[in-house]
């Protein structure tokens, strides 16, 4: 009996000391800032405008969590590239309409669609994204999570169970490929016993994931919006991709009811298709108001000098 009581007392003492240590760390140290970059296809280029604000203010998030396009841009930034460099990468698509069905590429483009995305009907997707990811890999100064300058979590979905899968170690490119594997468009990625698809199907705005690593999380929702056109019915392509967008918005709304990030931003991006990366300038322009809100928030939360 005395032995049991002694062990119980010791356990309580360890727990109390642990809680006290955690509280002391939270009270004495500056609160960490997490950045959750959401899913949204081409509308996710709005993330570049948010990262530009961090660069302008010479601030760096303490953690980044990304889903789909948020995972791609988050990985580029966490690897050491700044917002301008990431802009230059996607500006290579300028003049190219990355529409999976039209396949149109503008004559002035330096980076041709046919060079980075090949047809891949045999593996569960319309396109094989390997060329695109190889192109990104050539721009990134690091190859693994362990080499990143900012801790990163990439979100995908297990097709078999529907569970959220958070990847935080190993090679970056396979994780990015899994997170952006839009069903029917890009092939799923096999990882051990899992078959991974786009993280947007389970957690399109992973502020809860970043919340495990930081006390204050900024969530950037880039799911966009739709405009009603008089006497014009949406095409079946728009219905397909925009329905996916509606699904993601419903998931985000449900998660926001359960938990709110420190700052929720939703750039007012309208009428941009999933693969309209040629609209980068319009997307960044429409992101201006949200970027302004982020700037104000970061300035107000800037650490004060003693």
């Amino acid at each position: 009996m005395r032995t049991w009581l002694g062990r119980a007392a010791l356990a309580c003492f360890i727990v109390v000391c642990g809680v006290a240590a955690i509280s002391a760390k939270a009270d004495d140290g500056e609160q960490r800032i997490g950045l959750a970059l959401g899913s949204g296809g081409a509308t996710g280029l709005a993330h570049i405008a948010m990262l530009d604000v961090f660069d302008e203010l010479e601030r760096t998030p303490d953690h980044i969590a990304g889903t789909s396009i948020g995972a791609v841009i988050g990985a580029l930034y966490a690897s050491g590239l700044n917002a301008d460099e990431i802009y230059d990468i996607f500006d290579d698509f300028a003049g190219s309409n990355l529409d999976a069905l039209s396949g149109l590429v503008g004559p002035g483009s330096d980076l041709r669609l046919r060079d980075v995305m090949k047809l891949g009907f045999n593996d569960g997707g319309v396109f094989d994204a390997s060329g695109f990811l190889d192109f990104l890999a050539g721009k990134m100064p690091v190859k693994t999570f362990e080499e990143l300058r900012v801790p990163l979590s990439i979100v995908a979905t297990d097709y078999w169970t529907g569970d959220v899968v958070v990847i935080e170690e190993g090679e970056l490119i396979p994780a990015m490929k899994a997170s952006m594997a839009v069903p029917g468009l890009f092939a799923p990625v096999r990882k051990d016993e899992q078959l991974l698809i786009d993280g947007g199907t389970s957690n399109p705005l992973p502020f809860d994931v970043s919340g495990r690593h930081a006390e204050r999380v900024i969530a950037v929702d880039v799911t966009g919006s739709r405009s009603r056109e008089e006497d014009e019915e949406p095409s079946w392509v728009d219905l397909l991709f925009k329905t996916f967008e509606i699904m993601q918005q419903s998931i985000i709304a449900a998660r926001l009811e359960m938990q709110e990030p420190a700052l929720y931003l939703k750039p007012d991006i309208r009428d941009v298709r999933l693969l309209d990366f040629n609209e980068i300038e319009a997307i960044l322009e429409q992101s201006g108001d949200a970027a302004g809100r982020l700037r104000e928030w970061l300035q107000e939360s800037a650490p004060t000098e003693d």
Side-chain angles (χ1 to χ4, degrees):
M1 176 65 73
R2 290 181 180 177
T3 301
W4 181 87
L5 288 174
R7 290 175 178 172
L10 178 61
C12 290
F13 176 78
I14 293 173
V15 170
V16 170
C17 288
V19 171
I22 292 172
S23 299
K25 183 177 180 180
D27 291 338
D28 296 341
E30 180 187 346
Q31 287 191 324
R32 293 163 295 186
I33 292 179
L35 181 62
L37 303 179
S39 170
T43 56
L45 295 177
H47 292 318
I48 299 174
M50 308 306 139
L51 296 175
D52 189 55
V53 174
F54 275 93
D55 290 345
E56 173 193 334
L57 300 179
E58 299 183 342
R59 300 282 298 274
T60 302
D62 297 287
H63 180 268
I64 298 173
T67 298
S68 198
I69 185 65
V72 172
I73 292 180
L76 292 171
Y77 193 71
S79 74
L81 301 180
N82 61 36
D84 285 340
E85 291 169 325
I86 297 171
Y87 169 86
D88 288 340
I89 289 173
F90 284 96
D91 191 43
D92 281 342
F93 292 121
S96 304
N97 186 351
L98 298 187
D99 185 318
L101 298 178
S102 71
L104 297 176
V105 180
S109 175
D110 294 328
L111 184 64
R112 300 302 181 109
L113 176 60
R114 63 174 176 265
D115 295 331
V116 295
M117 291 192 182
K118 300 177 181 179
L119 294 178
F121 292 105
N122 294 329
D123 55 6
V126 175
F127 283 119
D128 178 1
S130 298
F132 172 67
L133 290 168
D134 288 342
F135 169 75
L136 292 183
K139 302 291 185 178
M140 298 171 65
V142 303
K143 307 300 181 186
T144 68
F145 281 86
E146 290 74 17
E147 299 172 275
L148 294 172
R149 68 163 184 145
V150 179
L152 173 71
S153 300
I154 286 181
V155 175
T157 304
D158 186 344
Y159 170 79
W160 298 116
T161 65
D163 293 337
V164 176
V165 176
V166 180
I167 307 172
E168 299 177 327
E169 60 183 13
E171 296 183 10
L172 286 163
I173 293 298
M176 294 161 64
K177 185 176 183 180
S179 186
M180 61 174 278
V182 179
L185 189 59
F186 299 117
V189 175
R190 296 189 181 277
K191 184 177 185 292
D192 300 325
E193 298 298 319
Q194 297 173 320
L195 187 66
L196 301 181
I197 61 173
D198 194 304
T201 59
S202 62
N203 192 352
L205 186 58
F207 55 88
D208 58 321
V209 176
S210 194
R212 301 170 193 169
H213 303 269
E215 288 80 19
R216 307 182 74 190
V217 178
I218 302 161
V220 186
D221 179 355
V222 292
T223 51
S225 59
R226 298 160 298 282
S227 298
R228 185 187 299 274
E229 298 288 343
E230 293 293 335
D231 302 323
E232 183 177 338
E233 295 295 327
S235 68
W236 72 269
V237 178
D238 288 333
L239 284 171
L240 177 64
F241 291 140
K242 290 299 182 180
T243 299
F244 187 58
E245 179 181 271
I246 292 170
M247 177 200 72
Q248 293 182 94
Q249 289 171 343
S250 297
I251 295 173
I252 292 171
R255 289 182 175 271
L256 286 171
E257 288 185 0
M258 295 186 294
Q259 176 186 356
E260 290 187 1
L263 178 64
Y264 170 74
L265 298 170
K266 190 175 192 303
D268 187 19
I269 303 170
R270 297 182 176 275
D271 304 319
V272 174
R273 290 182 175 182
L274 184 73
L275 296 177
D276 281 349
F277 287 90
N278 60 306
E279 299 290 342
I280 183 170
E281 294 297 342
I283 293 166
L284 293 177
E285 182 178 350
Q286 294 179 75
S287 305
D289 289 344
R293 285 186 57 205
L294 174 60
R295 183 180 295 105
E296 291 176 3
W297 189 90
L298 287 173
Q299 288 172 332
E300 291 174 357
S301 65
T304 57
E305 296 183 3
D306 295 333

